[in-house]
Amino acid sequence: MGGSAMKLVILDRNGTINVHREDFVKSDIEWTPLPGALEAVARLNHAGWHVVVASNQSGLGRGLFDMASLNAMHAKMHKMLAAVGGKVDAVFYCPHSPDEGCDCRKPKDGLFLQIGDRFGIDLKGVPTAGDSLRDLQAGAAAGCEPHLLLTGMGAACRGVNPLPSEYPADTRVHDDLAAFVDFLLAREARAALQVAV
């Protein structure tokens, strides 16, 4: 896994951890976790994984909500995670609107590169999961292993096999965050068995 012993997973937020809203999640009241998502993060933590969120938050750039509202959403997320024994190490977000031409808005890989810099690790092979094409394109551009969740916007890909060609070629598909975590932990257990033999 990359050039580091640190086990890291990078997750999208809206449609991955919490319910996606077409009109943007604009307040902590509107921030609602997806069923089983917080518990899935906790299971990763308990298995020694660090979890970081990478999220486009263009609602800031569009003036739909302010920093205080975003901080309140993340405070609620952290509090609800703590209640089930989970935690997110950091939240990296792009505050820009689509027309600002920044490097951090997914599908560009700027947020991922910031995460690699912050934690001092090579992102090659680091699993990343999200519900949209741009999440996976951004992760793959930074060398991450792409996983599509069929929640949020990803629900449109349910039953689509193979995925459209614009998806990274090695994209794996999971029903939701819990199924993705099942996959990671099972793969890790298999690898541990092979080492033991």
Side-chain angles (χ1 to χ4, degrees), residues 59-168:
L60 279 172
R62 300 171 198 257
L64 297 176
F65 52 83
D66 59 13
M67 266 316 300
S69 300
L70 186 65
N71 289 339
M73 289 178 226
H74 292 153
K76 179 177 180 180
M77 177 176 74
H78 290 303
K79 187 174 176 183
M80 291 184 77
L81 272 168
V84 297
K87 80 175 183 118
V88 161
D89 284 25
V91 178
F92 287 73
Y93 61 88
C94 165
H96 307 108
S97 64
D99 53 6
E100 287 183 73
C102 64
D103 289 327
C104 51
R105 181 174 165 80
K106 297 183 284 186
K108 292 194 175 161
D109 61 359
L111 281 182
F112 287 82
L113 300 179
Q114 288 174 32
I115 291 167
D117 285 348
R118 166 82 67 87
F119 290 93
I121 69 167
D122 172 8
L123 294 182
K124 185 165 176 46
V126 168
T128 186
D131 68 321
S132 76
L133 173 62
R134 66 185 178 209
D135 296 328
L136 308 190
Q137 288 172 322
C144 293
E145 177 188 86
H147 294 264
L148 175 67
L149 306 185
L150 300 177
T151 47
M153 290 188 284
C157 287
R158 203 169 280 282
V160 177
N161 189 14
L163 287 173
S165 59
E166 58 266 30
Y167 281 84

